[in-house]
Amino acid sequence: MTESMVERVFVAKVESIPLVAEFVTEQAEQAGLTAKRLMQLALVIEEAVINICNYAYEVPPGEVTVRIHTDAGRFVMEFEDGGVPFDPLTVAEPDIKLSLEEREAGGLGIFLIRRMTDEVHYRRVNGRNILSVAINTP
Amino acid sequence: MEILTREERGFTVVSVSGRLDAGTASDLEKDCANLINKGGTKLILELSALEYVSSAGLRSVLAVAKKLKAAGGGLSLCGLTGLVQEVFSIAGFDSFLPVYETVEKVVEKG
């Protein structure tokens, strides 16, 4: 497969999630991801975008740039925002062994992203947050 | 997302189909809160027609389960498949909520 890179900017609001999913899914299908992987990808997209909608901007809505790289063996998505510095990978993982009374709702989004992808990275570049996730392709 | 509720031998069965996501999760929480307030404290979430669930959906289910526990009742899950089963399992929700194949199996157990 040839290397490619595409990107699109979306308004960072809940209503944009289906539009981001549509944009990414089109690329993912071309990259040969399985139906199961596409469903997992939809989940990763929602979790990444909703974090930006909820926490990135002091005055919402801001924007989110979604960038997709594909090369041999990897499908990489980047979610970039210009909001307050925030590394989601520093959020404590939920303790999944706790009882109902003890369980809290926090941290599940990034936890699901980690489990549904092969690699997750965060970097802060020129005042922007970039969350990068990679999925190995068949 | 579509929510259908019915009574079955003392249980309140809530069938959820479609997508339980950031756009719809609060509706499930509201509907369940209404059912609990009306006395439906033995609640079954029947999810065989649910295609998708995200952390927003998990948060609603957790809130409903806590509310039921506080009301002296409980929540059971059934009909988990595909991505939905995977997400509930990764999040460890199957360790603190009873999971059954079908509504019938929950009702049989009482």
Side-chain angles (χ1 to χ4, degrees):
Chain A
M1 175 202 250
T2 53
E3 282 189 29
S4 72
M5 201 275 276
V6 290
E7 71 171 42
R8 195 173 292 176
V9 180
F10 299 87
V11 180
K13 57 178 187 177
V14 174
E15 291 76 15
S16 297
I17 293 170
L19 306 175
V20 179
E22 193 182 332
F23 168 64
V24 176
T25 301
E26 196 176 304
Q27 305 297 322
E29 280 173 348
Q30 287 175 21
L33 268 68
T34 61
K36 187 180 175 213
R37 279 300 212 178
L38 292 177
M39 286 297 281
Q40 293 173 333
L41 210 59
L43 180 66
V44 170
I45 292 163
E46 177 179 332
E47 303 299 352
V49 175
I50 204 85
N51 260 341
I52 294 169
C53 298
N54 289 343
Y55 306 116
Y57 293 99
E58 284 166 357
V59 185
E63 34 64 46
V64 50
T65 301
V66 180
R67 194 174 297 118
I68 298 166
H69 306 267
T70 49
D71 56 35
R74 283 195 341 150
F75 183 82
V76 182
M77 281 189 289
E78 288 188 349
F79 300 90
E80 180 180 318
D81 67 77
V84 296
F86 176 61
D87 177 358
L89 302 182
T90 59
V91 173
E93 292 206 343
D95 183 346
I96 63 166
K97 297 262 177 352
L98 294 179
S99 67
L100 170 59
E101 289 81 358
E102 297 165 316
R103 271 305 285 268
E104 304 282 346
L108 280 168
I110 190 69
F111 186 66
L112 289 173
I113 292 178
R114 285 175 187 266
R115 291 298 183 278
M116 294 288 178
T117 57
D118 295 301
E119 278 178 54
V120 189
H121 304 280
Y122 166 83
R123 63 189 194 275
R124 178 95 181 156
V125 181
N126 298 328
R128 298 180 67 81
N129 298 302
I130 303 175
L131 183 72
S132 169
V133 302
I135 288 175
N136 297 333
T137 52
Chain B
M1 181 184 69
E2 194 177 1
I3 300 173
L4 292 170
T5 60
R6 67 175 198 272
E7 295 293 321
E8 195 160 325
R9 286 195 276 166
F11 285 87
T12 304
V13 182
V14 180
S15 299
V16 189
S17 58
R19 299 169 59 86
L20 184 53
D21 58 20
T24 61
S26 61
D27 293 340
L28 176 69
E29 204 173 323
K30 264 183 248 157
D31 283 15
C32 288
N34 284 335
L35 293 166
I36 296 165
N37 290 339
K38 286 181 195 155
T41 57
K42 286 164 72 180
L43 208 140
I44 303 172
L45 275 183
E46 201 279 305
L47 304 178
S48 61
L50 189 68
E51 294 158 9
Y52 175 93
V53 64
S54 66
S55 67
L58 291 176
R59 265 193 287 281
S60 302
V61 172
L62 182 63
V64 170
K66 282 180 183 270
K67 198 165 278 186
L68 283 164
K69 186 92 179 182
L75 177 67
S76 302
L77 304 176
C78 65
L80 307 182
T81 59
L83 180 83
V84 173
Q85 182 174 39
E86 192 180 2
V87 169
F88 274 100
S89 169
I90 288 172
F93 276 40
D94 52 359
S95 69
F96 63 78
L97 291 175
V99 179
Y100 297 87
E101 282 169 42
T102 60
V103 169
E104 287 64 38
K105 293 208 168 151
V106 188
V107 174
E108 269 170 29
K109 202 166 170 286

